[in-house]
Amino acid sequence: MVANVLNYLTVATALISLVFLARKRLRQSIQWRATVTPLASIIGSGFLIVAPLLHAVLGKWALAGMIILSILAYAIGSVIRFNIRYAETYLIDHPGSSIAKIETLSQWALGIAYAISVAFYTSLFTAFLFDRLSISDPTLMRWAKTVLLLSVMVIAWRRGARGLETIELVAVTLKLAIIIGVLIALGSYDVINHTSWFQHDAIKSLSLWDSAAMLAGMLMVTQGFETTRFMGSQYTTIVRINAARYSQWIATAIYITFIGFTCPLFLEFPIVELNETTISQTLGQVVMVLPVMLLVAATASQLSAALADTIGGGGLLRELIPIRLPDNLFYMGVVALAIILIWSANVFEIINYASKGFGTYYLLQVLITLGLLRKKILNHSNIKFSLVCSLLVLILLFVIFASIPAPHS
């Protein structure tokens, strides 16, 4: 009886949320359309994978780990917002400066990180699809990922950036509606069953150093807010700054609530195998419709995110490489790197590589901010912000050089 109620509640909540999010007034809001792009990237990066990762590695400390990741991401977001406001103007006025050279290096790092994330998105989508089809042949899955990546490349050739914002708007609307339904179902399940929080153990005993290194390797699940740096042709500076801030607020609320609500589940249903579809298998034991809804969410978000990062990475490479070449060749470069990764690494290794890539980009952005602060471009000194940036340098160096992937079963 309770299971049926939760099934109906999940679907009904998702449908009501979909109607609300699809309202014309919201769709036509300039600020919301600007917020959708980074938000689609953030929740596309982590929602389907972050819970089993954190619970498997940290156990009862999973929520604390998510809070730490969220604080770190928001601090990095403050750097991105600062650079939108101040660095972009400075770079236009000082094209040959040392800060401009750091910006070029950071774009190289971001282009590579985008290619890695494309491999992650296609791996996650294929894993969810094959899980529903009960297919577990790893070689067949790799060939499916390869075909999917080539399809994404063809779509990038034909469409480019045209219509991408509309695709992301539809994808994020659908996924947000499903996420709200999932959260309501999980919260209701926890209340109905009087479940206990913060008592489950990690899947294996880890040292504090290894736990921190694996947590650092999950930074990729919070990325996406940096896309606002490259939306200057579409939106004003203030709209982009607010888009970065609002997307992080929404994503942080979703992640922390989700990790909190899933704490009792991993006590009742301990993780036996840690892989791409662990969350679907666990939630399916709680609410029967959730695996199907998560498959819809994966379809909606992972494919649009893979397309967006293929176009974004190709666009960055086109700007960085001085030789005039067709855009298609740059898309091919992004997809080629993604194909190499899916044949040589598992999804958790890919997440770690992406974390290192985005960590490198964020580190260079922090150095740009520190360089601007030293040039005293502000009318007042900001010692507190300088100290935050200095701390971020140390943390991001740890992410780049010490982070390790979670064990894949």
Side-chain angles (χ1 to χ4, degrees), residues 155 159 162-172 300 304 307:
I155 295 171
R159 293 188 64 89
R162 298 191 306 273
L164 186 59
E165 186 185 75
T166 301
I167 294 173
E168 289 176 338
L169 181 61
V170 173
V172 79
S304 64
L307 177 59

Side-chain angles (χ1 to χ4, degrees), residues 344-355:
S344 60
N346 65 54
V347 69
F348 295 156
E349 291 170 335
I350 292 173
I351 289 173
N352 184 230
Y353 293 146
S355 294

Side-chain angles (χ1 to χ4, degrees), residues 100-174:
K101 293 176 182 177
I102 296 174
E103 173 68 13
T104 300
L105 287 175
S106 76
Q107 291 186 15
W108 274 106
L110 186 60
I112 295 171
Y114 276 155
I116 300 171
S117 64
V118 170
F120 165 69
Y121 293 135
T122 52
S123 295
L124 198 56
F125 169 76
T126 307
F128 269 80
L129 180 61
F130 275 49
D131 180 63
R132 299 311 302 164
L133 297 174
S134 299
I135 300 173
S136 57
D137 185 340
T139 302
L140 182 60
M141 289 183 67
R142 287 192 173 98
W143 278 113
K145 294 173 194 175
T146 302
V147 172
L148 182 60
L149 281 167
L150 293 174
S151 301
V152 167
M153 182 177 67
V154 170
I155 295 171
W157 286 0
R158 294 178 64 87
R159 293 188 64 89
R162 298 191 306 273
L164 186 59
E165 186 185 75
T166 301
I167 294 173
E168 289 176 338
L169 181 61
V170 173
V172 79
T173 298
L174 184 58

Side-chain angles (χ1 to χ4, degrees), residues 86-313:
Y86 298 107
E88 291 179 0
T89 303
Y90 183 89
L91 290 169
I92 292 172
D93 295 337
H94 304 82
S97 64
S98 58
I99 289 179
K101 293 176 182 177
I102 296 174
E103 173 68 13
T104 300
L105 287 175
S106 76
Q107 291 186 15
W108 274 106
L110 186 60
I112 295 171
Y114 276 155
I116 300 171
S117 64
V118 170
F120 165 69
Y121 293 135
T122 52
S123 295
L124 198 56
F125 169 76
T126 307
F128 269 80
L129 180 61
F130 275 49
D131 180 63
R132 299 311 302 164
L133 297 174
S134 299
I135 300 173
S136 57
D137 185 340
T139 302
L140 182 60
M141 289 183 67
R142 287 192 173 98
W143 278 113
K145 294 173 194 175
T146 302
V147 172
L148 182 60
L149 281 167
L150 293 174
S151 301
V152 167
M153 182 177 67
V154 170
I155 295 171
W157 286 0
R158 294 178 64 87
R159 293 188 64 89
R162 298 191 306 273
L164 186 59
E165 186 185 75
T166 301
I167 294 173
E168 289 176 338
L169 181 61
V170 173
V172 79
T173 298
L174 184 58
K175 187 164 185 177
L176 278 177
I178 291 173
I179 287 173
I180 293 170
V182 169
L183 294 180
I184 293 296
L186 292 178
S188 302
Y189 177 87
D190 293 339
V191 171
I192 292 170
N193 289 276
H194 305 288
T195 46
S196 301
W197 270 264
F198 314 122
Q199 294 183 16
H200 60 297
D201 296 321
I203 58 174
K204 62 183 293 187
S205 180
L206 297 171
S207 66
L208 181 60
W209 176 268
D210 285 343
S211 297
M214 287 185 187
L215 182 63
M218 300 177 204
L219 178 64
M220 185 261 184
V221 302
T222 64
Q223 68 82 208
F225 50 88
E226 75 286 337
T227 56
T228 50
R229 275 295 310 271
F230 307 99
M231 294 160 57
S233 62
Q234 300 167 270
Y235 302 104
T236 65
T237 296
I238 296 300
V239 168
R240 288 187 292 138
I241 288 172
N242 286 335
R245 182 181 291 113
Y246 296 158
S247 64
Q248 285 196 292
W249 286 353
I250 296 169
T252 298
I254 288 172
Y255 278 160
I256 290 177
T257 304
F258 185 51
I259 297 302
F261 282 174
T262 52
C263 277
L265 303 187
F266 290 102
L267 175 63
E268 187 173 354
F269 307 104
I271 295 174
V272 178
E273 282 188 310
L274 178 60
N275 55 44
E276 298 93 315
T277 58
T278 297
I279 190 61
S280 179
Q281 295 159 5
T282 302
L283 296 187
Q285 299 179 78
V286 178
V287 183
M288 188 173 61
V289 299
L290 288 186
V292 176
M293 294 182 70
L294 290 176
L295 176 61
V296 174
T299 303
S301 63
Q302 304 308 308
L303 292 182
S304 64
L307 177 59
D309 281 6
T310 299
I311 293 171

Side-chain angles (χ1 to χ4, degrees), residues 374-385:
R374 281 197 297 270
K375 293 181 180 298
K376 298 180 179 180
I377 64 168
L378 301 177
N379 295 327
H380 61 282
S381 62
N382 199 324
I383 297 175
K384 183 179 178 181
F385 190 44

